[in-house]
Amino acid sequence: MQEESLASAAMADAATQKYTADARPQTIALVDDDRNILATLSIGLHAEGFATRVYADGETALKALLENPPDLAIFDIKMPRMDGLELLKALRAQSRLPVIFLTSKDEEPDEALGLAMGADDYIAKPFSQRLLIARIRAILRRSELARAPLEDAAAPDVPDPIARGRLTLDPARHQVSWDGKAVSLTVTEFLILEALAVRPGVVKSRNQLMDAAYSEDVYVDDRTIDSHIKRLRRKFRAVDAEFSAIDTLYGAGYSFADG
């Protein structure tokens, strides 16, 4: 059975050769010790126009992801040698590559930890291919916008940097600093912070922050937003232990204080 699954995955990977250099399909890295899942996901993603690379363990994947980064990676949490959480921690030390976690229903604490460590999203098993594709496309759209080169600084559609007290955000370059010290954020974290900083003092509900950070075809629950907020605070406190600019109004949402 494993040989058949590996053959299926290999056939799916070989299918990417039909794309020309001009087509440049976006590449998704799949990291899972379940070869059936690797084969199924590869076939489904190729049908949607993506190229894939598959890895059966975290140690092998880490080296490849750093040396030749894909456009997005999907990690299973439970894997031998190096699990998904360890892989994400090691990756985040050197890269902001968008990452989606695959989790089981009994892995909720791991989901929260993964988001706190910098994962962009998670999907619980069993899941539909349609949902996974929607999540992938939403994150890739945001990532592309964040990486878009600044071709003309005078162009009217290029957003100006946002200065709020000690915070500076540059949406065009996806750069954030606090008191002049750089803070590295994932795409989702950046969009949530930007939504708060645009209107200081205004409380944004979790639903409003979801709308700012996720496309309409992607649903996330409240806990996801809370985890991203915790991660934001932790990152800013790494450069300023007294950071307290993101306020919580219990039962209502979050706001940014620029004082």
Side-chain angles (χ1 to χ4, degrees):
M1 181 64 72
Q2 286 191 351
E3 288 75 9
E4 293 176 358
S5 298
L6 283 172
S8 298
M11 290 174 60
D13 281 332
T16 63
Q17 300 304 316
K18 69 180 181 179
Y19 294 102
T20 66
D22 290 335
R24 295 186 182 280
Q26 292 172 302
T27 301
I28 312 298
L30 307 173
V31 189
D32 198 313
D33 62 321
D34 187 327
R35 299 178 187 275
N36 290 321
I37 289 180
L38 289 177
T40 300
L41 288 178
S42 291
I43 292 170
L45 288 168
H46 286 142
E48 294 292 331
F50 294 103
T52 63
R53 302 175 198 152
V54 298
Y55 307 98
D57 68 85
E59 288 184 357
T60 302
L62 178 61
K63 186 174 184 294
L65 294 176
L66 292 174
E67 290 181 350
N68 187 17
D71 295 286
L72 181 145
I74 300 174
F75 298 167
D76 186 31
I77 288 184
K78 302 299 184 184
M79 295 185 292
R81 297 176 63 185
M82 175 185 282
D83 66 24
L85 294 173
E86 294 172 323
L87 174 58
L88 178 63
K89 181 178 180 180
L91 180 68
R92 279 290 173 261
Q94 303 181 60
S95 171
R96 291 204 302 263
L97 174 72
V99 171
I100 296 176
F101 265 138
L102 296 183
T103 70
S104 299
K105 289 183 177 180
D106 60 350
E107 295 172 350
E108 290 188 359
D110 288 340
E111 292 170 6
L113 180 57
L115 290 171
M117 291 169 61
D120 292 273
D121 207 345
Y122 71 89
I123 295 181
K125 301 175 185 176
F127 56 87
S128 71
Q129 289 272 2
R130 182 177 179 182
L131 173 63
L132 178 61
I133 296 299
R135 299 278 183 96
I136 289 172
R137 293 196 189 284
I139 292 174
L140 286 175
R141 282 196 296 270
R142 301 198 306 270
S143 183
E144 286 168 358
L145 288 172
R147 294 196 308 262
L150 186 60
E151 296 179 354
D152 183 1
D157 58 346
V158 174
D160 293 328
I162 299 169
R164 297 289 185 265
R166 300 153 71 185
L167 174 72
T168 301
L169 297 94
D170 188 342
R173 296 179 174 84
H174 190 75
Q175 294 176 347
V176 182
S177 64
W178 181 262
D179 275 345
K181 300 175 182 177
V183 182
S184 178
L185 302 182
T186 66
V187 174
T188 303
E189 291 165 351
F190 186 97
L191 291 172
I192 290 173
L193 179 62
E194 182 181 18
L196 292 171
V198 164
R199 300 187 65 191
V202 175
V203 176
K204 295 288 185 73
S205 69
R206 290 173 177 82
N207 285 337
Q208 289 174 314
L209 294 177
M210 290 177 197
D211 290 342
Y214 293 89
S215 63
E216 293 180 357
D217 54 1
V218 175
Y219 170 79
V220 295
D221 60 24
D222 290 356
R223 185 163 51 83
T224 303
I225 296 299
D226 292 342
S227 294
H228 284 308
I229 292 291
K230 289 178 182 177
R231 179 68 175 173
L232 277 168
R233 286 170 171 156
R234 186 176 298 114
K235 287 186 174 183
F236 277 94
R237 285 169 183 161
V239 300
D240 177 5
E242 302 301 319
F243 176 84
S244 60
I246 299 177
D247 294 330
T248 302
L249 183 60
Y250 292 99
Y254 298 96
S255 67
F256 183 83
D258 63 352

